[in-house]
Amino acid sequence: MKDTKNAQQNNKTRNLFNFIKILSNRFRSKESESLLKNSRKDKLIRIYFFILCGFVAALSIQEQFAIEQLLGGFLISCLLIFILYRDIMRYKPAYLKKYNMLFLLGLLLTGTLLIGRLFGYLLLTLSKGLEYETLESAFFGIPIPAGAMLVSLLFDFHTAITFSFAVSMLVGLWLHDASFTIYAFVGSITAAFSVIRCKKRSSILKGGGYVIAANVFTVIIILLINGELFTIKAPSSIMFAALGGIAVAAIVSLLLPLIEYAFKVYTDISLLELLDLDQPVMKNLMVTAPGTYHHSVIVGNLVESAAEAVGANPLLARVSAYYHDIGKIKIPDYFIENQSGSVSKHDKLTPHMSSMIIINHVKEGVEVARQYKLPEPIIDIIEQHHGTMLVSYFYQKAKEKGDDIVPMEEDYRYHGPKPQTRMAALIMMADAVEAASKVLTDPTPARISSLVDRIINHIFLDAQLDECELTLKDIHEVKKRFSYILTGIFHKRIDYPGFDFTDEDLYKEPAKTPKNKSTENNKSSKEGIKTARSLQG
């Protein structure tokens, strides 16, 4: 009887497992079908968009409307845009996942050509009005490098190189002049170079100066090759080349803030503005949660140094570190760095409730960031900087409570997602290392290095770094940088002669000086006490 019951029970469990497998397979097939549909939809949207960009680019390089010329220009434009697309897919695939960045790149490509046509018409009209004998010199004043400068500021330098190649080829087709292709390419590359790590808006004017020098130098070479350097064409060509560099700086200075606002993209210039302590959210953090603010500053120092070591943007690293814990503004007293007294507010709460409050600061941080309209990469880092890590203190407290119900580990983990970028992973490691360094009683270099190694290894073994691009070599460099910075922070000082900082009498008010003593001795004693207090603080 027992055997038959066991056999029936085994059959039931098998049937249940088979049913669950069938359901999971169906769900997986549905998910895979939806993913395939979404990927096909994305590809179709990109194809239609590139066809539209190719058509607009073909129209912008037409001298006269003719079907054959339009078709040829369209095919060449599509070919150059395809080269640009493949280069982005190979080196910067993240841009293709964001439709606003893809649309912005297409708009910059077609907009550069259309602005070039507009300036060509205006400069040609100006040359006719001034009665220049060589009207073609006016084309050297077309501000084609403005597009490459904007791409370098808004995207990156590598994308700006391929962009410069595509635009220069199209401009050469428009003007039917191979020398102007070289002229536009040299100016565009110089413009892109001049704004790498641009941190001030005045640097755009400096970039315009570099473009002027490159334009004039290239024009002189072109005139020399054509045997026209000592003709009447030279002065007007050089003048228009200089005007082109000035126009580049003016156009970029005008359009950059508009593009940043309209497309919600960021540059190093806008990131520097976020570091201003007069920003409302930073001021709120300093006043409401001073401990969290100090913690964020230290994390910023750690992350900036590590970002330089792994080839990430150090400015974005520092800004993200400053804002990564802004969710603690809502209830700062529930986080230990802001607690002034010995009594914690968590003493009256259950471990599960405490863990929910701690975990919720990530969600609150995202809401505050959206309220203050912070850039999207910073919001992503706020959301990812704890990944799916375990709130181990309250989890262990719940296990030690001795209840019949065993706490589930999932209830004490952050909701994620895990870090998707190197920057988010650096913030995660720096946050954990800085918090753990506060418990070191004797912070010698060896103990600091051991602590950093232990914390980062724990994060690695917990699979928190599985979805980002950090390599083992990068992690090794990060450990070295973190240890170096923390060793500098926890440095030791020599004893000050004449001061015993363990003596309680040092902090008592000085006895009143007898009337027969000089006022100078009284002043010196007060100054000594103030010095001691300041050193102790």
Side-chain angles (χ1 to χ4, degrees):
M1 290 290 291
K2 287 183 179 179
D3 293 337
T4 55
K5 284 183 179 179
N6 289 331
Q8 289 177 357
Q9 193 170 359
N10 289 331
N11 288 329
K12 286 181 180 179
T13 53
R14 284 174 188 172
N15 292 331
L16 181 62
F17 276 119
N18 289 329
F19 179 69
I20 291 170
K21 282 183 180 180
I22 292 168
L23 283 178
S24 62
N25 289 330
R26 284 183 181 178
F27 279 121
R28 284 176 184 173
S29 62
K30 285 181 180 179
E31 286 178 1
S32 60
E33 285 177 6
S34 63
L35 288 172
L36 282 172
K37 285 181 181 179
N38 289 331
S39 63
R40 287 171 185 170
K41 186 180 178 181
D42 290 341
K43 286 180 181 178
L44 285 174
I45 290 172
R46 290 171 192 167
I47 289 169
Y48 292 146
F49 178 69
F50 288 136
I51 290 172
L52 179 62
C53 289
F55 183 71
V56 175
L59 284 175
S60 63
I61 63 174
Q62 295 300 307
E63 283 292 321
Q64 294 178 351
F65 185 79
I67 296 298
E68 290 181 356
Q69 290 181 358
L70 181 62
L71 182 60
F74 172 73
L75 292 175
I76 290 176
S77 299
C78 288
L79 178 62
L80 293 172
I81 290 171
F82 178 73
I83 292 171
L84 177 61
Y85 170 74
R86 291 298 300 177
D87 183 75
I88 294 171
M89 183 181 285
R90 174 66 178 83
Y91 294 102
K92 297 290 179 180
Y95 294 144
L96 301 177
K97 297 176 183 178
K98 299 178 180 178
Y99 285 128
N100 66 325
M101 299 300 288
L102 203 60
F103 178 71
L104 177 58
L105 188 62
L107 185 64
L108 288 173
L109 179 69
T110 55
T112 301
L113 295 172
L114 292 172
I115 289 173
R117 289 301 298 261
L118 176 63
F119 269 81
Y121 173 76
L122 294 175
L123 293 171
L124 199 61
T125 306
L126 178 64
S127 297
K128 289 178 182 178
L130 295 174
E131 297 181 352
Y132 285 130
E133 293 184 8
T134 53
L135 297 177
E136 63 272 13
S137 299
F139 291 116
F140 289 115
I142 298 173
I144 295 298
M149 186 179 283
L150 285 169
V151 171
S152 184
L153 286 166
L154 298 167
F155 292 84
D156 61 277
F157 176 70
H158 182 88
T159 307
I161 294 175
T162 317
F163 180 91
S164 301
F165 168 75
V167 170
S168 302
M169 294 290 287
L170 291 171
V171 171
L173 283 172
W174 160 38
L175 296 174
H176 306 288
D177 188 356
S179 61
F180 199 87
T181 301
I182 297 170
Y183 172 78
F185 184 73
V186 171
S188 298
I189 290 294
T190 305
F193 258 119
S194 65
V195 291
I196 294 177
R197 294 284 180 260
C198 175
K199 293 181 173 61
K200 296 180 181 177
R201 298 202 183 270
S202 59
S203 300
I204 297 173
L205 301 178
K206 191 184 291 185
Y210 287 123
V211 174
I212 291 172
N215 284 355
V216 170
F217 183 70
T218 311
V219 162
I220 291 172
I221 293 174
I222 291 171
L223 292 172
L224 188 63
I225 291 171
N226 295 333
E228 298 172 334
L229 183 59
F230 301 102
T231 63
I232 197 171
K233 184 180 179 180
S236 59
S237 298
I238 293 171
M239 182 194 72
F240 279 113
L243 285 175
I246 296 170
V248 166
I251 290 170
V252 173
S253 299
L254 179 67
L255 292 181
L256 184 61
L258 299 175
I259 292 172
E260 285 179 323
Y261 179 78
F263 288 89
K264 296 180 180 179
V265 294
Y266 69 94
T267 61
D268 284 354
I269 298 170
S270 53
L271 287 177
L272 269 176
E273 291 171 353
L274 288 174
L275 282 179
D276 187 2
L277 297 182
D278 285 333
Q279 290 282 342
V281 65
M282 287 304 298
K283 194 175 283 187
N284 193 3
L285 183 67
M286 289 173 64
V287 174
T288 309
T292 300
Y293 169 74
H294 180 263
H295 159 75
S296 300
V297 171
I298 304 299
V299 171
N301 293 337
L302 293 170
V303 171
E304 186 176 30
S305 178
E308 291 176 355
V310 301
N313 187 346
L315 183 58
L316 176 60
R318 177 174 281 276
V319 175
S320 302
Y322 273 47
Y323 288 88
H324 80 283
D325 268 345
I326 56 175
K328 295 180 180 179
I329 291 174
K330 298 289 183 72
I331 42 174
D333 295 337
Y334 283 87
F335 299 91
I336 192 166
E337 66 266 23
N338 300 310
Q339 294 173 0
S340 56
S342 59
V343 179
S344 173
K345 291 202 172 186
H346 290 283
D347 294 342
K348 298 178 181 179
L349 301 176
T350 62
H352 185 250
M353 181 60 69
S354 295
S355 68
M356 286 176 65
I357 291 172
I358 298 296
I359 290 169
N360 197 51
H361 88 273
V362 174
K363 181 184 174 183
E364 298 285 355
V366 173
E367 290 178 1
V368 172
R370 296 198 186 281
Q371 179 186 344
Y372 286 96
K373 297 179 180 178
L374 295 181
E376 205 62 38
I378 295 178
I379 296 175
D380 292 339
I381 287 171
I382 292 172
E383 193 175 19
Q384 299 166 16
H385 80 277
H386 279 299
T388 57
M389 290 180 69
L390 180 69
V391 185
S392 56
Y393 177 80
F394 292 111
Y395 177 65
Q396 291 296 329
K397 198 173 179 182
K399 286 175 70 177
E400 293 168 2
K401 202 173 180 182
D403 293 341
D404 295 334
I405 302 172
V406 179
M408 293 182 66
E409 194 173 294
E410 289 77 12
D411 295 336
Y412 292 84
R413 283 190 176 273
Y414 286 92
H415 304 309
K418 293 179 181 179
Q420 303 296 304
T421 61
R422 290 184 297 173
M423 199 70 69
L426 292 177
I427 299 286
M428 170 185 278
M429 291 186 286
D431 187 26
V433 165
E434 198 281 333
S437 67
K438 298 295 184 184
V439 302
L440 282 177
T441 53
D442 185 18
T444 60
R447 288 189 177 185
I448 290 171
S449 180
S450 175
L451 174 75
V452 170
D453 195 61
R454 209 179 320 136
I455 294 295
I456 293 179
N457 286 346
H458 173 74
I459 292 171
F460 179 77
L461 293 173
D462 197 28
Q464 298 299 320
L465 307 179
D466 286 359
E467 298 176 16
C468 65
E469 300 172 357
L470 278 179
T471 63
L472 291 174
K473 182 181 178 182
D474 291 337
I475 294 172
H476 178 68
E477 288 295 324
V478 168
K479 289 179 181 179
K480 284 170 58 179
R481 293 298 180 102
F482 283 180
S483 300
Y484 176 76
I485 297 292
L486 287 174
T487 302
I489 292 172
F490 292 107
H491 67 282
K492 289 189 176 182
R493 291 281 191 179
I494 59 171
D495 292 332
Y496 286 83
F499 295 103
D500 185 6
F501 295 110
T502 61
D503 189 2
E504 294 180 358
D505 294 335
L506 181 68
Y507 302 101
K508 293 181 179 178
E509 290 294 327
K512 291 185 178 180
T513 308
K515 291 182 180 180
N516 60 349
K517 292 286 184 181
S518 64
T519 56
E520 292 182 0
N521 291 337
N522 193 13
K523 286 182 180 178
S524 64
S525 65
K526 287 181 179 179
E527 287 174 2
I529 292 169
K530 287 180 181 178
T531 305
R533 285 176 176 172
S534 65
L535 290 172
Q536 178 67 13

